[in-house]
Amino acid sequence: AQTIHQWPVAEIKAVGSPLSLGCTIKGKSSPNLYWYWQATGGTLQQLFYSITVGQVESVVQLNLSASRPKDDQFILSTEKLLLSHSGFYLCAWSLDSSNERLFFGHGTKLSVL
Amino acid sequence: AQSVTQPDARVTVSEGASLQLRCKYSYSGTPYLFWYVQYPRQGLQLLLKYYSGDPVVQGVNGFEAEFIKSNSSFHLRKASVHWSDSAVYFCAVRGWWAGAKLTFGGGTRLTVRP
């Protein structure tokens, strides 16, 4: 069975500090990977997606970057956090671009102070 | 551009009552429509999806949704809610082609009173 794991579960960071959030998918080779962001009380916005190692497409510009260093790993990062980065970050995977079903991780709650 | 509107940010119902969560979408062409549920401190889980065929689709845990093209709506329903249904529900739309972006509505927080 496939599993998706996000880390950390929660982070409290200072404005201007760096950030790295991780996501790994086990049990599925070459998944499509996604990062979503949910502002407190807000809707989900797709940030990035990746269909293969080393290839990442940006959907929304939020002064964040993403990388896919390995087939099963997706990293979200920034060198300088803003207050507006606070929220809930969700990683998701799907079988391929034409598959309509997304499987979500449990998410990372980020508080920027 | 595609968009999804969930006009009710919060809905409160009593256990055993019927439920309808509203969803209106804007999309030119044939949409893929979804309902996802988010339980506290968890990621989203797919409840049901619709692309074609019978406009009433059945999902997990007794949920169903009806696609009404003339009204651009995809409302979620349940005949009798349980306290464990308390969660945030998201409606979403995407195109049918590979790589189409999934757009979510703002979500509806459902509280079921015991």
Side-chain angles (χ1 to χ4, degrees), chain A residues 36 38 43-44 97 100 102 105, chain B residues 34 36 38 43 49 90 99 105:
Chain A
Y36 281 84
Q38 184 181 27
T43 190
L44 288 147
S97 299
E100 69 278 11
L102 292 176
Chain B
F34 306 84
Y36 279 86
Q38 184 179 31
K49 61 185 186 289
F90 290 93

Side-chain angles (χ1 to χ4, degrees), chain B residues 2 25-34 50-53 67 69 93-97 100:
Chain B
Q2 61 199 54
Y25 68 90
S26 174
Y27 187 83
S28 56
T30 303
Y32 244 132
L33 293 160
F34 306 84
Y50 173 80
Y51 177 63
S52 65
F67 170 62
K69 188 176 179 179
V93 66
R94 57 162 285 177
W96 52 265
W97 65 90

Side-chain angles (χ1 to χ4, degrees), chain A residues 1-2 14 36 41 72 76 87 90 95 102 112:
Chain A
Q2 301 87 2
Y36 281 84
D72 64 352
L76 183 71
L90 286 159
L95 288 175
L102 292 176
V112 182

Side-chain angles (χ1 to χ4, degrees), chain B residues 11-16 81-87 110-114:
Chain B
V11 170
T12 300
V13 297
S14 297
E15 193 167 27
V81 296
H82 186 263
W83 65 266
S84 59
D85 293 325
S86 295
L110 172 67
T111 301
V112 180
R113 292 191 300 248

Side-chain angles (χ1 to χ4, degrees), chain B residues 3 6 10 12-13 16 28-29 35 43 45 53 56-57 70 72-73 75 78-79 85 87 90 93 102 108 110 114:
Chain B
S3 66
Q6 293 178 246
R10 294 178 182 272
T12 300
V13 297
S28 56
W35 274 99
Q45 300 169 37
V56 179
V57 292
S70 60
S72 297
S73 67
H75 301 332
K78 187 170 183 179
D85 293 325
F90 290 93
V93 66
L102 186 63
T108 297
L110 172 67

